[in-house]
């Protein structure tokens, strides 16, 4: 009988751990109405931005530590709007948007930094080329929302993208990606 009580206690503890542990983590999905990703590009004759409001993102959030543990974001190349239909169509062509329709970032490690920042190491896949990337995000918790903002450079040549040209002059190799992704808590 004593062994049966011990076994029952261990079983109860095991079941409690099994149910309590996973409940401490949950998936948060980006609010598309509030989230944006913007690219900035430069040509010798002008600069422009393209904005995507079609941000597909998810975070695994640990309620005990109040920290995101993993993040994944995916954007459709065709979702960027630069206020110039010709430029946007050309961008889809240059980026082989039919063959490589998405740009993705998937984290492998997230660590808290100083002053509310997060450092996310992971893989950026752009134009079918996956490269390691480290992103720094500023974190803001307010109004029942977790907002991650930041920016990072991406070189087109690192992802086998031929730089577009206008009037015989090519755009700069570097694009600046800026993100503002909002997750309801």
């Amino acid at each position: 009988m004593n062994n049966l009580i011990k076994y029952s206690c261990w079983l109860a503890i095991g079941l409690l751990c099994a149910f309590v542990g996973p409940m401490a983590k949950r998936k948060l999905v980006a609010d598309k109405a509030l989230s944006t990703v913007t690219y900035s590009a430069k040509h010798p004759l002008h600069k422009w931005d393209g904005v995507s409001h079609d941000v597909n993102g998810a975070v695994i959030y640990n309620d005990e530590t109040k920290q995101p543990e993993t993040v994944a974001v995916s954007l459709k190349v065709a979702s960027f709007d630069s206020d110039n239909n010709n430029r946007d169509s050309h961008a889809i062509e240059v980026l082989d948007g039919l063959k490589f329709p998405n740009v993705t970032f998937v984290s492998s490690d997230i660590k808290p930094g100083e002053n509310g920042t997060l450092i996310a190491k992971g893989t950026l896949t752009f134009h079918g080329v996956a490269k390691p990337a480290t992103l720094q995000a500023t974190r803001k918790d307010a109004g029942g929302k977790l907002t991650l903002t930041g920016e990072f450079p991406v070189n087109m040549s690192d992802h086998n993208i031929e730089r577009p040209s206008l009037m015989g002059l090519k755009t700069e190799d570097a694009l600046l990606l800026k993100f503002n992704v909002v997750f309801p808590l």
Side-chain angles (χ1 to χ4, degrees):
M1 183 71 161
N2 210 4
N3 284 338
L4 181 59
I5 293 172
K6 284 182 188 176
Y7 177 76
S8 296
C9 286
W10 283 113
L11 180 61
I13 290 170
L15 287 172
L16 183 62
C17 289
F19 287 109
V20 171
M23 288 178 16
K25 296 179 185 181
R26 59 192 164 108
K27 181 169 85 171
L28 307 178
V29 177
D31 184 336
K32 288 187 179 193
L34 300 174
S35 300
T36 59
V37 173
T38 303
Y39 78 86
S40 296
K42 294 180 185 176
H43 182 272
L45 300 176
H46 64 287
K47 301 176 192 177
W48 72 95
D49 293 333
V51 180
S52 174
H53 295 278
D54 190 13
V55 179
N56 297 296
V59 165
I60 301 301
Y61 185 80
N62 187 320
D63 283 314
E64 289 178 3
T65 63
K66 306 290 187 215
Q67 293 294 327
E69 294 187 347
T70 59
V71 63
V73 176
S74 179
L75 307 159
K76 292 180 178 145
V77 169
S79 71
F80 286 90
D81 181 3
S82 71
D83 289 328
N84 182 315
N85 289 337
N86 287 335
R87 179 173 36 234
D88 295 338
S89 295
H90 188 60
I92 293 169
E93 182 182 329
V94 166
L95 297 173
D96 295 316
L98 295 177
K99 186 175 180 181
F100 307 112
N102 298 311
V103 177
T104 62
F105 175 78
V106 179
S107 71
S108 56
D109 183 43
I110 298 179
K111 299 251 190 269
E114 296 179 12
N115 301 323
T117 62
L118 295 172
I119 309 298
K121 293 182 180 181
T123 303
L124 177 68
T125 304
F126 184 26
H127 195 247
V129 177
K131 294 272 188 185
T134 300
L135 310 181
Q136 182 170 323
T138 300
R139 172 191 179 155
K140 180 180 175 188
D141 294 57
K145 295 176 176 59
L146 166 67
T147 303
L148 302 176
T149 58
E151 59 184 43
F152 61 98
V154 175
N155 290 326
M156 289 186 271
S157 59
D158 291 343
H159 295 274
N160 299 330
I161 299 167
E162 186 175 329
R163 294 174 14 217
S165 62
L166 175 67
M167 298 177 63
L169 301 170
K170 291 190 177 215
T171 60
E172 289 185 8
D173 190 28
L175 299 172
L176 183 65
L177 291 179
K178 296 175 263 188
F179 58 91
N180 182 65
V181 187
V182 180
F183 300 93
L185 289 171

